[in-house]
Amino acid sequence: MSRWALALTSLVVLLASPAPAAPPNVVVIYADDLGYGDVSCYGAKTGLTPNVDRLAKEGIKFTDAHASSATCTPSRYAILTGEYPWRRQGTGVLPGDARLIIEPGRATLASVLRDAGYRTAAVGKWHLGLGDDKLDWNGPIKPGPLEVGFDECFIMAATGDRVPCVYVKDHEVVGRDPADPIVVRYDAPIAGEPTGKANPELLRLRPSHGHDMAVVDGVSRIGHMKGGAKARWRDETMAETFTSEAVGFIGRNKERPFFLYFATHDVHVPRLPHPRFLGRSGMGPRGDAIVEFDWSVGEVLKALDEAGLAANTLVVLTSDNGPVVDDGYRDEAAEKLGGHKPAGPFRGGKYSKFEAGTRVPFVVRWPARVKPGESAALVGQVDFLATFAALVGRTAPRATAPDAQDQLRALLGEDPKGREVLIEHAGGLAVRRGKWKFIPATDGRKTNPATNTELGNDDKPQLYDLDADPGETRNVADDHPDALDRLRKDLAEARKGR
Ligand code: NG6
Ligand code: CA
């Protein structure tokens, strides 16, 4: 062989040999209040959520996966910090003017990936507080996502039903107008501003409980706000707005690894999906919001396909807590539910210590690495920081992420078991070990009549065998003293931080 031919052959061999595996992009799609049974692949009627179903078919569908808590702020705190929120005061559902509850500079899921060379973005619902005591909505809004590991953000401060009803991009309210300053208060009404309570004639969606303060876009909210007329969001275009930000971020980052935390507003109240989704579910606005959520998922998947990034992008889709039907507005959610079971086979829902409080849909897709299938491993969002740190060859800081375990093998479908023990949180705590679930005795109320939720409280200790009884209907505490004792100890150890 001539020297040239030899050189050519080596070049061909070099080009044909597999390139070192590039780190995968990471996309977390975080739904709000989406229940275990709210998507077709987890038991809802066929065709309701084709895009979520596609993701599940191409990935792993987890059947025992959990948000850390049965409400939003604590779950988001856990997913980003790797610390159970019940270790910290002030991590309950926050008002829209709360200060940031994650210390600037603390290691988060985002900062770990950023430090590993990822471009990071938060899009959608934040609900972890913004700024400090002196926050002025008309000036720079910080600290916020950019101070805890995100390179960029496009968010709402809290929830769709809480003021301020404006978007925040990086450090600034979008559409801010110095001539029409924004005032936000939670302690008292603002003189001269209408409220849902005093001016029901202004409302196009009425509250069923609470939600009778500031009127924005014909909907009364929690908290009071004045000004910012041009900056106020329209509820019907919120999903579109967030989705186009998510899609834009993917498009801008084809050439480098990225982490997208895409936290949708759907299917939280107020449920006002875009008119093109109205009637699509046959279940009223709550079902239509599920269809809208599925559309958002489809747009993200399409963006990954079009950018040629789908194969080496790890997508996780999950929810911040279980489902609730009436969460405070007269939106016909209960009346139009029909045979739909938002919680699937589980008992309770959002706010509850029963399984449906935290057991949520959870799908992982990474075509380059993960074999499609189903997993019954016990997994929790509190592990994301350590798990994704491991994915990029790093370790989680034990001091600030004490509860995050590296569960990468479980997430990739290589370990069928997952966690030994997982703590569930809904006000108080419950604990899981294998098939067992223990809820300590408590004098808390048994139901929340406003939302019609069974909260899981009882004055006797409760033990359930979830294999035999996933619906937590038979308390077997008296029949299994050993299991009861084991789980009691698990809970005590977890409380101590071991
Ligand atoms: C509750 C609200 C509920 C919802 C929830 C937070 C009332 C009566 N109820 O206090 O509508 O906003 O807080 O939801 O105000 S979460 O998903 O953000 O945790
Ligand atoms: Ca929520």
Side-chain angles (χ1 to χ4, degrees):
M1 204 185 285
S2 78
R3 229 164 0 128
W4 285 116
L6 192 66
L8 197 65
T9 313
S10 358
L11 187 69
V12 168
V13 169
L14 198 70
L15 289 175
S17 59
N25 305 303
V26 176
V27 176
V28 173
I29 303 176
Y30 209 27
D32 198 356
D33 298 1
L34 186 76
Y36 190 94
D38 273 330
V39 289
S40 304
C41 51
Y42 281 82
K45 69 177 178 186
T46 310
L48 186 68
T49 55
N51 292 298
V52 177
D53 299 352
R54 173 190 158 199
L55 196 72
K57 197 162 151 262
E58 295 170 357
I60 306 177
K61 174 185 144 187
F62 287 82
T63 55
D64 199 358
H66 296 258
S68 82
S69 310
T71 49
C72 165
T73 300
S75 289
R76 286 163 208 257
Y77 179 85
I79 203 172
L80 290 182
T81 66
E83 180 180 46
Y84 281 133
W86 42 267
R87 297 200 190 284
R88 290 284 195 115
Q89 292 284 319
T91 54
V93 173
L94 292 176
D97 63 348
R99 64 168 97 155
L100 179 67
I101 59 169
I102 302 175
E103 304 82 340
R106 178 173 174 179
T108 63
L109 175 59
S111 75
V112 165
L113 292 172
R114 185 201 54 200
D115 294 349
Y118 282 59
R119 177 84 187 170
T120 59
V123 174
K125 181 179 182 178
W126 181 240
H127 212 187
L128 290 163
L130 288 171
D132 52 26
D133 287 339
K134 302 177 292 293
L135 177 70
D136 174 358
W137 294 95
N138 307 287
I141 294 166
K142 62 182 183 185
L146 271 50
E147 285 66 39
V148 295
F150 291 100
D151 292 312
E152 51 190 275
C153 73
F154 188 103
I155 55 171
M156 67 164 133
T159 64
D161 57 347
R162 281 172 177 74
V163 302
C165 300
V166 296
Y167 300 120
V168 174
K169 183 174 163 54
D170 297 339
H171 287 140
E172 196 160 343
V173 166
V174 178
R176 177 175 81 86
D177 176 3
D180 184 20
I182 295 169
V183 181
V184 174
R185 318 185 47 149
Y186 274 74
D187 55 347
I190 299 174
E193 290 298 303
T195 64
K197 194 168 183 183
N199 308 88
E201 74 284 357
L202 297 178
L203 301 180
R204 61 192 176 111
L205 175 63
R206 291 182 179 222
S208 58
H209 55 277
H211 304 99
D212 59 358
M213 295 164 242
V215 180
V216 175
D217 200 11
V219 181
S220 48
R221 322 263 169 167
I222 307 171
H224 298 279
M225 117 173 242
K226 180 183 170 180
K230 283 193 217 137
R232 295 180 179 204
W233 68 50
R234 295 241 40 223
D235 295 284
E236 279 82 350
T237 54
M238 185 178 281
E240 250 170 38
T241 303
F242 286 147
T243 303
S244 82
E245 290 293 327
V247 164
F249 176 75
I250 292 170
R252 288 195 300 278
N253 287 284
K254 289 178 194 159
E255 311 298 335
R256 58 186 295 185
F258 62 79
F259 167 52
L260 169 63
Y261 172 78
F262 178 36
T264 69
H265 161 66
D266 285 319
V267 300
H268 198 279
V269 295
R271 302 173 186 125
L272 291 160
H274 191 276
R276 71 177 182 279
F277 297 108
L278 293 185
R280 289 270 297 276
S281 68
M283 293 188 271
R286 184 175 185 280
D288 298 342
I290 295 174
V291 176
E292 183 173 73
F293 168 72
D294 185 74
W295 168 83
S296 295
V297 174
E299 292 300 296
V300 168
L301 298 185
K302 207 195 303 171
L304 293 172
D305 287 337
E306 285 172 5
L309 298 174
N312 200 31
T313 298
L314 193 162
V315 179
V316 189
L317 179 148
T318 187
S319 176
D320 69 335
N321 52 251
V324 55
V325 178
D326 179 349
D327 207 15
Y329 290 97
R330 295 188 205 174
D331 58 9
E332 299 190 289
E335 296 85 329
K336 296 207 166 151
L337 207 52
H340 180 75
K341 292 194 170 57
F346 303 110
R347 191 168 175 184
K350 182 178 182 178
Y351 312 114
S352 176
K353 287 175 193 153
F354 285 132
E355 279 297 280
T358 62
R359 201 189 291 212
V360 285
F362 190 105
V363 173
V364 173
R365 185 190 79 168
W366 181 11
R369 174 70 195 271
V370 158
K371 270 218 312 281
E374 193 168 308
S375 171
L378 181 61
V379 294
Q381 294 163 7
V382 71
D383 294 328
F384 277 22
L385 194 154
T387 300
F388 288 105
L391 179 76
V392 297
R394 312 221 157 191
T395 46
R398 290 269 33 110
T400 59
D403 301 303
Q405 299 177 358
D406 169 7
Q407 290 287 344
L408 188 58
R409 293 190 60 247
L411 239 63
L412 302 183
E414 293 162 4
D415 166 16
K417 185 156 180 274
R419 274 184 163 257
E420 197 81 34
V421 171
L422 178 80
I423 307 301
E424 300 182 9
H425 170 226
L429 306 182
V431 58
R432 286 285 314 280
R433 170 187 278 274
K435 66 177 184 176
W436 297 111
K437 160 92 173 264
F438 166 56
I439 310 176
T442 162
D443 54 11
R445 58 183 183 163
K446 288 196 173 177
T447 58
N448 177 347
T451 58
N452 193 23
T453 309
E454 293 187 291
L455 296 173
N457 297 325
D458 200 286
D459 53 13
K460 288 192 267 319
Q462 299 172 75
L463 182 75
Y464 297 102
D465 172 348
L466 296 178
D467 279 355
D469 178 27
E472 293 167 285
T473 61
R474 290 185 301 278
N475 181 1
V476 294
D478 292 340
D479 308 330
H480 297 276
D482 292 352
L484 190 65
D485 194 45
R486 178 64 261 174
L487 271 78
R488 260 207 185 104
K489 286 192 182 124
D490 288 334
L491 188 53
E493 281 167 20
R495 281 190 205 274
K496 274 191 258 153
R498 271 191 275 143

